[in-house]
Each structure stands twice: as structure tokens, then as C-alpha cells.
Amino acid sequence: MVSRVIPVEPFELVIFGGTGDLARRKVLPGLFRRFCAGQMPKDARVIGSARTELDRNGFRKMVADSIKEFGGKELASQAELPEFLECLDYVATDARGDKGWAELSAMVRKELVNAFYFSVAPSLFGDIAERLKRHDLADDTSRIVVEKPFGRDLASAEELNATLAKHFKEKQIYRIDHYLGKETVQNLMALRFGNVMFEPLWNGKYIDHIQITVAETVAVGSRGAYYDKSGAMRDMVQNHLMQLLCLIAMEPPAQFAPDAVRDEKLKVIRALQPVQPHEIVRGQYEAKDGQPGYREEAENPRSFTESFIAMKTHISNFRWAGVPFYLRTGKRMATRASEIAVVFKALPHSIFEDNEPDRNVLSIQLQPNEGITMDMTIKEPGPGGMRLVNVPLDMTFAEALGPDAEEVPDAYERLIMDVIRGNQTLFMRGDEVEAAWTWTDPIIEGWTARNDVPKPYEPGSMGPLDAHALMRRDDRNWREVKG
Ligand code: BG6
């Protein structure tokens, strides 16, 4: 197979929080995969930095162990591993003190693309940004990468944006939402804007409703304490589901360019209608078969935080007037599966008397089996008259594209390479994040004001019964998503 991988320019990537969970699980194994694919050049360097006292060799060993633990045996046994480890270095720094900064500044080759990954608590963003400037580590060409949670409400997001803006221009700030790096999410844009047949149908005249489901089987586990301050609304809806909604609903941008795309996404968020209390169902998973329930994991027996949410919202614009968007996400659900389903309207008139055709459904599966299917009505083959059946036109990538499909990089890998390439298209702009909180805040404030208690649900189910009632009230049903 001919490799289509284009190497990026040599770079220096400094990861603050370089010994942390995200770096070990995602960022470092991801960089190694890009190295093996020939995309990360051999003269690029990744410098880990954290408070932990480690030397270069200690860091290299930690990375090798992380690759084995989180990247799998096959990745860890790649012949390129020693060469990759050669590209790693480490400097211990104190984000709030002076330790290590001069050494780091002396190490970084300023003539290369410089990127600084803030894989640390947002409360340290300001301190690190300020020290990067004070120690001449960053200039107008440097890039910084920040992770969610980007604020916990509008006020804190504005404050974070203002803190970063003191030191960096918007074009230097890469706010990661890893859902935007998922292959199928990008394919959504290819599908909508690279094919002539969807655009004329992509509106309230032909689309009945849209469902977005991000179901997880995992529990909150050891993240209970963090999660309890966040909940599904802040952890998933305000960012990941919102981004999916934007891509499905936005107007065609004039170009596939960062601000053209982000301007259109922003318009969608700003056009979201406020959600009414009866349009939301919150849930909390119960204990089952010796497995702890949400409140035990959160170590908060009176917790009112939701581990599941289902809601209906509308976008007030010409294209989407009258089309409901149903969103749901949760932990400990029946299956791990994420899907966006575009459910088309019924035919205005059926010519088949005893045989009503089903509605067309375009389903975009984000994970685990990435692909797109379109449910179509055809005649059942063979004799017996005009019997109709519903069959999917299937574009599961692994099947449609053969071995090439296996090369799909993980979301983080792709996004880090985009940082080095200087392409912000798949990153959130500051105003987008603020607009998302503007919509989210009143919903959360409403729960607090009403002392809203989430409904219990059985682990392994698809959420509380009320989530189904939310749909049935509208004479619709959630689709069965398959893992
Ligand atoms: C993270 C959330 O942003 O996304 C987690 O904090 C969640 O709670 C995760 O489990 C889901 O990501 P993915 O890629 O596994 O769907």
C-alpha cells in the first residue's frame, strides 16, 4: 500500500503535565504512532515537563512503559521505539516558581515550530503562559494547546480566555475537543459538502428530526470526585455533543478554512433555543451485581449530579425551524456506541397500498464501527408481488476502504499533527466556547434552583424510562444503537 502520510515540519513540543494521565494514555503513544507512520520527523523533539523530578532516561522509560500499557503490545514492539525515545527529553519545572524555566528555554530550538501543550489544571494556564513569555520561550509564532474542561460556566471560560489572551493571540491558541479529531466527524463534512445530493434535502422540509447518541458502558470509576462537580452536561454535552450538533447543522462554509468553518459553527450555537425543563431528562446509574452505583463512586450519597442526560433542542433559523434535535449521552449504558441519525420525513404519499415504505435514515456511526449507512426502501427480491424491505446502503469504512481504513489515526494524533501544521479548523475558537456556555448555563442554573434530582437508571440500560417518554411524547423513538 502506498503511504499518503506527509511528514510535518520538525518541531519542538513541550508537554506540561508530561507525566500525567492524558500524556501517558493518549498524547505520547499517539506521537509514537505518528513517528512509526513517518509523519513525525526524526529531528522533532518532545519535551516532557512537570513538577516530578525525572531525568531524560527516567522520562524515556516512563514513555516506553506508557506505550506498552496504553498503546498495546503490538505498538510497543515496533522496531522504531528506540529511535522515538531518542526524540524525548525532560525538564522538571514549577508552574508557579522559577525552577527549570531557564533550562527549558535553553533547550528549546526556537527556530523550529514550537508548541506548548498545557495538559494541566486550568488554574495553571495563566502561570505557565506568563512564564513562557518571561523566559523567552514563546513568541508570536508559538502555539499553545489547551484541553477541556475549558471553564465550568461562562464566567470562568471568559476568565480563561482573557488570561490566555494576555499572552497569546487567538490564532496561536488550539483548544482541543477530541471529538473533532474523530475520523467520522470529519467525514460528516466530506459527506455534507462533498456530495451534491444531500444539501437540497438538508432542512426542515425533508428532515423530520435528528438524534445524537453518545453512549458509554464505562462508569465514572476513579474520576468520581472530578465528575461529580461536572456531570454529563459539562463533561459531554457542552463540548462534544455540541460540536457534533454544529457540524450536522451548520451552513456550508465558503471554504474549508479555520475561520470559515468556525464562523458557521458559532452561528449554530447562537441560534440554539433555550431548553425547557420538560425537555430534559437527567439520570444517575444505580448499583447492580456488586458494582457500585453513581453516588458511591462519586463518594457523595446526596449527589444531584447527572451521569446521563437526554434532551430536545431546536435551532432557530430558516434551515432548521421545526426540526427537533434530540441528544443523549451517559455512563454505564447498554453499549458503547455513538451515532448521529438524520431521520427523514415520511413520503408525502405512498403508492404501495399495503406496504408503507419506512423512512430514510442516514446514520453516521462515530464509534466503535466507524461508518455511514443510509436506510433505503427497496423491493424484496423474488416473486410474491411488490413487497418492500428496508436495507442499509453500508459504507462501514473498514469494509469500503479495505486495509487503508486501518490506518485511521486516533483523534489526538491527528489533532497534534494539525497543531504542528498550524491548522486550527478542528479546534474550538474562544467565542465558540463562550457561546456554548451561554446556552448551557441557564440549564444548569435551573436544575440548581429547582433542586432537580436525577432519575435512577439501571446500569446496562439506555437510561431512565423518562428518556424514552421524552421521545414518545413526540410520537418518535430513540434508535437502537449498536456497539
Ligand atoms: C471525555 C470525557 O472528554 O470524553 C469522558 O471527559 C468521556 O467522560 C470521554 O468518557 C469519551 O471519549 P471517547 O473518545 O471515548 O468517546
Side-chain angles (χ1 to χ4, degrees):
M1 187 176 62
V2 184
S3 171
R4 290 183 305 264
V5 172
I6 302 169
V8 295
E9 278 178 64
F11 60 85
E12 296 271 23
L13 171 66
V14 180
I15 308 177
F16 295 107
T19 55
D21 209 46
L22 180 76
R24 294 193 310 117
R25 270 175 198 276
K26 292 284 183 190
V27 181
L28 291 157
L31 282 162
F32 180 43
R33 267 191 225 103
R34 293 296 88 210
F35 188 85
C36 295
Q39 195 162 28
M40 173 176 157
K42 298 198 164 83
D43 49 352
R45 184 166 44 181
V46 180
I47 304 172
S49 187
R51 279 237 302 254
T52 318
E53 288 295 347
L54 262 185
D55 60 9
R56 174 189 292 160
N57 287 335
F59 183 61
R60 288 178 178 174
K61 173 157 183 339
M62 187 212 82
V63 175
D65 291 345
S66 308
I67 290 174
K68 197 178 291 158
E69 189 177 350
F70 302 112
K73 273 212 186 88
E74 204 186 316
L75 185 66
S77 61
Q78 296 294 314
E80 291 90 342
L81 186 59
E83 245 183 320
F84 173 71
L85 296 178
E86 283 289 306
C87 300
L88 306 182
D89 218 318
Y90 186 84
V91 181
T93 51
D94 180 357
R96 295 212 159 119
D98 293 327
K99 193 180 88 183
W101 290 96
E103 193 189 334
L104 185 61
S105 183
M107 183 183 286
V108 169
R109 294 165 293 172
K110 315 270 178 352
E111 67 283 8
L112 301 184
V113 171
N114 285 187
F116 301 94
Y117 200 128
F118 290 21
S119 183
V120 295
S123 54
L124 295 177
F125 286 2
D127 296 304
I128 295 180
E130 193 257 317
R131 281 167 180 73
L132 285 175
K133 279 295 171 74
R134 195 184 334 143
H135 292 275
D136 281 335
L137 267 152
D139 62 18
D140 284 358
T141 64
S142 316
R143 292 150 206 181
I144 62 163
V145 184
V146 294
E147 274 285 334
K148 74 177 262 274
F150 202 84
R152 52 174 289 107
D153 53 20
L154 177 60
S156 52
E158 280 175 341
E159 204 179 306
L160 275 183
N161 275 336
T163 304
L164 295 179
K166 270 194 222 146
H167 306 282
F168 296 97
K169 300 199 177 75
E170 183 62 37
K171 71 174 185 356
Q172 298 179 271
I173 305 172
Y174 291 72
R175 291 178 197 78
I176 288 201
D177 182 315
H178 78 280
Y179 268 57
L180 288 176
K182 289 187 190 270
E183 182 71 7
T184 327
V185 174
Q186 295 169 67
N187 235 311
L188 187 55
M189 285 189 273
L191 184 83
R192 282 195 60 197
F193 307 128
N195 294 289
V196 74
M197 68 245 238
F198 292 112
E199 181 54 23
L201 306 179
W202 213 256
N203 54 55
K205 191 161 174 219
Y206 295 100
I207 293 177
D208 178 71
H209 73 278
I210 290 178
Q211 303 187 11
I212 303 179
T213 299
V214 177
E216 296 185 278
T217 49
V218 289
V220 294
S222 58
R223 295 167 75 222
Y226 153 77
Y227 190 92
D228 204 44
K229 295 198 195 74
S230 158
M233 188 70 180
R234 288 192 175 98
D235 186 51
M236 296 295 286
V237 178
Q238 185 272 348
N239 36 70
H240 304 325
L241 275 81
M242 175 78 78
Q243 290 296 324
L244 301 179
L245 175 79
C246 284
L247 296 181
I248 202 94
M250 70 184 185
E251 296 300 312
Q255 298 112 18
F256 188 60
D259 280 332
V261 171
R262 298 186 301 175
D263 285 347
E264 296 307 336
K265 288 199 296 169
L266 179 63
K267 286 184 208 159
V268 173
I269 305 175
R270 289 192 172 151
L272 279 173
Q273 272 180 16
V275 181
Q276 302 307 318
H278 68 276
E279 294 172 322
I280 303 194
V281 176
R282 300 163 76 219
Q284 243 179 19
Y285 59 83
E286 299 173 299
K288 191 182 174 189
D289 299 337
Q291 303 280 341
Y294 174 78
R295 289 181 170 193
E296 284 159 77
E297 291 196 299
E299 291 176 13
N300 181 0
R302 291 183 43 80
S303 170
F304 284 180
T305 303
E306 76 286 352
S307 62
F308 170 94
I309 197 160
M311 63 160 69
K312 173 164 90 162
T313 184
H314 283 92
I315 299 171
S316 301
N317 64 16
F318 265 56
R319 187 186 289 269
W320 296 116
V323 180
F325 286 73
Y326 298 94
L327 317 180
R328 70 177 163 163
T329 183
K331 306 276 184 209
R332 288 284 263 143
M333 292 176 69
T335 182
R336 176 176 185 259
S338 303
E339 182 200 71
I340 304 172
V342 180
V343 182
F344 286 87
K345 290 200 163 156
L347 287 171
H349 165 73
S350 172
I351 62 168
F352 308 104
E353 274 182 3
D354 321 318
N355 238 323
E356 191 77 12
D358 280 341
R359 290 163 186 238
N360 295 126
V361 179
L362 178 72
S363 141
I364 298 135
Q365 287 107 38
L366 307 182
Q367 53 199 26
N369 303 313
E370 305 181 320
I372 297 172
T373 55
M374 178 85 186
D375 288 354
M376 308 279 288
T377 297
I378 60 164
K379 176 190 167 298
E380 198 171 288
M386 185 57 96
R387 284 173 292 120
L388 304 180
V389 283
N390 202 22
V391 291
L393 282 184
D394 193 343
M395 265 218 322
T396 308
F397 298 153
E399 281 164 31
L401 305 176
D404 280 13
E406 286 165 21
E407 280 208 350
V408 170
D410 168 82
Y412 273 95
E413 296 169 39
R414 177 190 313 266
L415 294 174
I416 296 167
M417 290 299 108
D418 275 356
V419 173
I420 306 300
R421 282 188 283 252
N423 186 343
Q424 286 185 306
T425 310
L426 299 176
F427 296 82
M428 291 178 298
R429 212 167 52 191
D431 51 3
E432 256 184 89
V433 178
E434 289 180 11
W437 284 120
T438 303
W439 177 77
T440 312
D441 276 3
I443 301 175
I444 297 178
E445 282 159 13
W447 298 335
T448 314
R450 292 192 304 276
N451 273 331
D452 191 88
V453 186
K455 301 269 179 333
Y457 64 93
E458 200 188 334
S461 71
M462 287 308 276
L465 290 177
D466 288 26
H468 301 278
L470 174 80
M471 275 283 199
R472 276 202 295 271
R473 270 206 306 267
D474 294 347
D475 218 8
R476 298 185 175 105
N477 282 305
W478 289 108
R479 278 168 53 82
E480 195 187 324
V481 289
K482 294 191 193 80

